[in-house]
Amino acid sequence: MFRFCFFLTFVFSFQIGFAQAEKIPFQPLDVFELEWASDPQISPDGSQIVYRRNRFDIMNDNSQGNLWIINTDGSSHQKLTSREVNESQARWSPSGDRIAFISATNEGSELYMYWTKTGQFAKLSQLEKSPGNLTWSPDGTHLAFTMFISEKPPVIADLPSKPKGAKWAKPARITDRLKHERDGSGYMEPGFTHIFTIPAEGGSAHQITTGHYDHNSSLSFSPDGKTIYFAANRVEDWEYRFNNSEIYSVDIATKHIKVLTSQDGPDYSPRVSPDGKTIAFLGYLDKVQTYQNTVLHLINIDGTNRRIISSDLDESVSDISWEPNGKGLYFTYDSKGNTKIAHITRSGQITKLGDDLGGTTIGRPYGGGSYSVSNKGTIVYTHTRPEYPSDLAVLKSNQKEPTLITDLNSDVLDYRTLGEVEEVWYTSTFDGRQIQGWIVKPPFYEASKSYPLLVENHGGPISNYGDRFSPEMQLYAADGYIVFYPNPRGSTSYGEEFANLLYNNYPGEDYNDVMDGVDYLINKGLADQTKLYVTGGSAGGIMTAWMIGKNDRFKAAVVHKPVINWISKTLVADNYYGYANSRYPDQPWENFETYWKFSPLSLVGNVETPTMVIVGMNDLRTPTSEAKQLYHALKLRKIETVLVELPDASHGINRKPSNLISKVAHTLAWLKKYK
């Protein structure tokens, strides 16, 4: 009996020890196991939710998403269709009896319809290009959408025909447009995006807009279904007034277009009120500066009586939708690194409803996410915390806290010990401002031990990190680092004035803000000043290169996809036309000294820090020539350096999960050399 009891005790103890041993830190290949919810759409009666369930495909090295449907109480969670292809933009019909969506086919993306009573689905369209901005008419008889229409490229020379069977070079590619390439997709095919309608029972699509203008906007029907409201830039010299857009209406029958706004700056996202008398939209009067808050406007349906109702909120408003009774609107905004859902009355009274929107950016802890509202005011939204990517959260009108109804990653994360995320606040030594940041401690952290500190600078720079899930931060922490990711001046979610402090001054005192955070952590005993490391991508790569040009406190640095020379970057990048005056005064050839003064290359003669440079080989936003300038300069100075170029990677390196893993692995391998 004693032996049997001893055996049971031994087995039980072994099982506990084995279970504990299996709970390991987050691993690189775990990235491929992650899932996240996006674009949740609640049925009009609030009983069901359809959403896109996203995952990574380890064999094809990309992300995929299918539509799933679930009851609002979390029951009956199932795949919407039997198709194993990418599906997106699910939209409930006004009566809730159908769901329109977009799905991949062998010929390209098409419109599909799902009938809720029967579970049947069918393809509705045969389109030339992929549709977007899918929207129901109020009576449920039609769908509106946008689609790109190709045009022939310009021809300059009349070339002779090649002999039959001859193998000549491909024809010249002729470009005469201001914007002709886009990071992530490369050369932009000539043409314009237009608005179409199609019967909800299927049939031929009818083009509603024409002209050499883009109409790639969200759409909103009038209550009688006869008019569509949209945003576009149909002004004279529209190519060069690239920051402008206006609100328009188009009569579906006559195709007559009427402009409703005329303010210089972006006006977009029109939403017609339930009674059809008012249009809500987003925008701002362009003052030509680095950052301005996007504000919520109302106008009468004829374009008169323009007024701002969100003036009491010193943050940008986004993702607006009308309350069913028309008394107010729902919207989202970022505050101190966290994304909120709120309600605003027509008179401007704001009530915060929910926190922690996001979790749809798999990589670093940026904002994002979306929500929808039922006719009775039940909200569903993508909810994230540092412990998990986005799950579905339901918030009823009588609730103060949301109810999570999915748990998409317990099969992975229940078996991992993640690094604990903590919020920190500290004081700027430059002007006494309060600066927010976060640290991630290594899994199994012990306060008595000394850990190296890795600073991770965010991109943008007009953006923010927050208390959101981040596999990259977790992988750094799993390798034994305390990871510090701050929101220095220039970051959003702290008001317009704070975000605009980099106007004509970037990089500037944001450098001091980051270093003040490092010193704060050293003084708190959380960081060892002899074990400091730094990294960051895009604007974070700029800051990393700037930091090692300003001081030698870091043992090693990894600069991801940086801008090193503002003069060369400004005229080479895909958004080359958008920097003058909003970033620095005038064009580079008109203000050479300022562009050079803020270029990290101007400090490269000071750099003594061993530095790895990483860039995607297809990056058009911070072109590879920028990374090579830093690498070549350091090489000529005989500073320890290496250049890592990632094939098939644009500026969005994380589009291929293997590149995300490769970027992190190379970063950690380089830092390890100097531990």
Side-chain angles (χ1 to χ4, degrees):
M1 184 64 180
F2 173 78
R3 289 183 177 180
F4 181 69
C5 291
F6 176 81
F7 174 75
L8 288 179
T9 302
F10 172 79
V11 170
F12 184 69
S13 299
F14 175 80
Q15 288 175 334
I16 293 176
F18 184 74
Q20 290 175 338
E22 280 198 314
K23 193 125 177 176
I24 59 176
F26 193 75
Q27 303 293 300
L29 284 179
D30 291 342
V31 170
F32 280 103
E33 302 300 323
L34 295 173
E35 294 186 87
W36 64 101
S38 65
D39 193 20
Q41 297 293 317
I42 193 166
S43 60
D45 66 2
S47 63
Q48 291 182 295
I49 298 158
V50 61
Y51 74 100
R52 193 171 197 253
R53 184 170 177 172
N54 305 274
R55 66 188 185 282
F56 287 128
D57 183 341
I58 196 170
M59 301 306 294
N60 294 305
D61 196 20
N62 58 19
S63 62
Q64 295 184 346
N66 304 120
L67 296 177
W68 284 62
I69 192 166
I70 185 172
N71 291 341
T72 310
D73 63 5
S75 63
S76 190
H77 191 195
Q78 57 188 308
K79 197 171 180 297
L80 187 71
T81 75
S82 58
R83 307 185 77 240
E84 291 297 335
V85 295
N86 276 312
E87 300 166 329
S88 63
Q89 292 191 49
R91 297 293 181 265
W92 291 92
S93 66
S95 61
D97 62 333
R98 290 160 292 166
I99 301 172
F101 63 97
I102 295 172
S103 181
T105 72
N106 292 333
E107 292 78 33
S109 295
E110 297 288 352
L111 299 172
Y112 275 72
M113 188 69 72
Y114 175 90
W115 286 266
T116 57
K117 287 185 179 180
T118 64
Q120 298 294 311
F121 59 92
K123 186 173 73 169
L124 298 184
S125 63
Q126 188 68 43
L127 303 175
E128 294 182 15
K129 299 285 185 177
S130 298
N133 295 303
L134 189 59
T135 307
W136 280 92
S137 66
D139 62 3
T141 62
H142 285 78
L143 294 162
F145 62 94
T146 58
M147 185 172 67
F148 180 80
I149 300 297
S150 302
E151 296 201 351
K152 292 182 179 180
V155 176
I156 296 176
D158 186 12
L159 299 177
S161 300
K162 66 180 180 180
K164 186 177 181 180
K167 296 181 180 179
W168 288 12
K170 293 181 179 180
R173 191 172 73 188
I174 310 298
T175 297
D176 61 3
R177 295 164 289 160
L178 179 72
K179 186 171 182 62
H180 57 92
E181 59 184 358
R182 180 183 294 114
D183 183 72
S185 54
Y187 175 73
M188 296 168 59
E189 181 184 358
F192 297 92
T193 299
H194 288 287
I195 299 172
F196 293 77
T197 61
I198 190 172
E201 295 179 352
S204 299
H206 295 278
Q207 186 172 333
I208 305 301
T209 58
T210 57
H212 288 174
Y213 307 101
D214 276 315
H215 305 81
N216 191 16
S217 156
S218 58
L219 309 175
S220 184
F221 276 91
S222 60
D224 62 9
K226 295 180 179 180
T227 305
I228 294 175
Y229 296 84
F230 63 95
N233 191 9
R234 295 175 60 95
V235 300
E236 186 178 354
D237 205 26
W238 61 267
E239 272 197 296
Y240 291 88
R241 292 180 61 189
F242 49 82
N243 200 37
N244 186 75
S245 59
E246 309 294 349
I247 305 300
Y248 298 85
S249 65
V250 58
D251 184 289
I252 296 173
T254 66
K255 300 182 182 178
H256 174 71
I257 294 175
K258 179 182 178 182
V259 61
L260 301 175
T261 62
S262 59
Q263 180 171 273
D264 190 22
D267 292 337
Y268 61 97
S269 293
R271 300 287 185 269
V272 181
S273 62
D275 64 6
K277 296 180 179 179
T278 308
I279 302 170
F281 64 96
L282 301 174
Y284 57 83
L285 175 63
D286 190 5
K287 301 174 186 175
V288 189
Q289 57 190 45
T290 296
Y291 179 79
Q292 291 178 235
N293 279 341
T294 299
V295 294
L296 176 55
H297 298 78
L298 299 181
I299 55 173
N300 296 344
I301 199 69
D302 61 0
T304 60
N305 192 23
R306 177 173 180 150
R307 63 269 193 200
I308 298 170
I309 64 170
S310 62
S311 299
D312 289 345
L313 179 68
D314 187 18
E315 302 292 354
S316 281
V317 174
S318 59
D319 198 4
I320 57 173
S321 61
W322 279 99
E323 189 177 6
N325 61 18
K327 293 183 178 180
L329 296 103
Y330 300 94
F331 68 96
T332 66
Y333 67 100
D334 282 4
S335 178
K336 297 179 176 58
N338 189 280
T339 308
K340 318 290 186 182
I341 301 174
H343 177 272
I344 185 170
T345 64
R346 285 176 179 251
S347 61
Q349 182 178 349
I350 296 172
T351 304
K352 182 180 74 70
L353 302 175
D355 303 295
D356 304 320
L357 176 73
T360 55
T361 301
I362 301 300
R364 295 181 283 169
Y366 290 117
S370 58
Y371 74 95
S372 67
V373 188
S374 75
N375 289 340
K376 294 183 179 179
T378 299
I379 301 172
V380 58
Y381 66 100
T382 52
H383 185 281
T384 187
R385 291 298 301 152
E387 298 78 29
Y388 53 85
S390 60
D391 273 306
L392 295 183
V394 172
L395 184 65
K396 295 186 177 181
S397 56
N398 59 351
Q399 284 182 296
K400 291 186 177 180
E401 295 296 329
T403 302
L404 288 178
I405 63 169
T406 61
D407 187 7
L408 299 180
N409 291 283
S410 59
D411 57 330
V412 178
L413 298 182
D414 280 359
Y415 300 92
R416 298 292 181 264
T417 296
L418 298 179
E420 182 181 348
V421 176
E422 294 182 9
E423 179 184 20
V424 296
W425 285 88
Y426 55 93
T427 302
S428 166
T429 57
F430 175 73
D431 57 10
R433 293 175 188 270
Q434 290 299 295
I435 307 298
Q436 185 184 30
W438 286 264
I439 60 170
V440 187
K441 294 178 178 177
F444 314 111
Y445 171 81
E446 296 180 31
S448 60
K449 290 185 177 180
S450 174
Y451 294 90
L453 178 73
L454 176 60
V455 180
E456 217 287 348
N457 295 299
H458 75 63
I462 310 300
S463 61
N464 66 77
Y465 276 162
D467 49 352
R468 309 166 179 123
F469 180 78
S470 169
E472 289 192 35
M473 302 300 183
Q474 290 296 334
L475 288 172
Y476 291 141
D479 207 51
Y481 294 90
I482 290 179
V483 187
F484 171 50
Y485 54 103
N487 279 342
R489 67 194 62 213
S491 300
T492 53
S493 76
Y494 306 93
E496 180 175 292
E497 190 259 353
F498 186 87
N500 200 44
L501 287 171
L502 300 185
Y503 181 46
N504 295 342
N505 186 38
Y506 171 62
E509 290 76 35
D510 46 335
Y511 162 78
N512 304 79
D513 293 345
V514 176
M515 295 308 302
D516 286 341
V518 172
D519 290 333
Y520 170 83
L521 296 175
I522 291 171
N523 293 334
K524 284 288 185 180
L526 289 167
D528 184 337
Q529 63 181 347
T530 67
K531 301 176 182 178
L532 303 179
Y533 303 85
V534 62
T535 188
S538 193
I542 299 170
M543 178 52 64
T544 302
W546 191 260
M547 288 167 67
I548 60 176
K550 286 281 191 177
N551 70 70
D552 298 331
R553 295 178 62 183
F554 296 92
K555 297 187 69 175
V558 181
V559 178
H560 299 154
K561 51 186 182 183
V563 173
I564 295 301
N565 182 343
W566 282 111
I567 299 165
S568 57
K569 184 276 202 259
T570 301
L571 295 175
V572 175
D574 67 328
N575 60 347
Y576 69 97
Y577 49 83
Y579 285 90
N581 300 317
S582 62
R583 180 74 74 198
Y584 307 116
D586 304 318
Q587 295 288 358
W589 61 88
E590 299 168 324
N591 191 0
F592 183 92
E593 292 78 11
T594 297
Y595 279 77
W596 177 250
K597 180 178 71 173
F598 289 108
S599 296
L601 190 59
S602 69
L603 302 176
V604 77
N606 302 332
V607 175
E608 300 295 335
T609 307
T611 302
M612 171 182 278
V613 186
I614 298 180
V615 68
M617 295 177 71
N618 297 333
D619 195 329
L620 296 177
R621 184 58 49 85
T622 55
T624 56
S625 57
E626 293 296 307
K628 288 179 179 178
Q629 286 183 69
L630 177 59
Y631 170 68
H632 292 161
L634 294 177
K635 202 68 180 172
L636 288 171
R637 291 195 56 243
K638 298 183 179 180
I639 303 300
E640 291 179 271
T641 185
V642 64
L643 175 65
V644 178
E645 298 177 277
L646 298 175
D648 300 321
S650 61
H651 195 65
I653 288 175
N654 295 349
R655 289 185 180 182
K656 286 187 175 292
S658 68
N659 277 334
L660 184 159
I661 293 170
S662 179
K663 180 185 74 171
V664 172
H666 280 94
T667 297
L668 291 173
W670 181 256
L671 300 181
K672 188 175 182 180
K673 288 180 61 178
Y674 304 97
K675 274 191 173 180

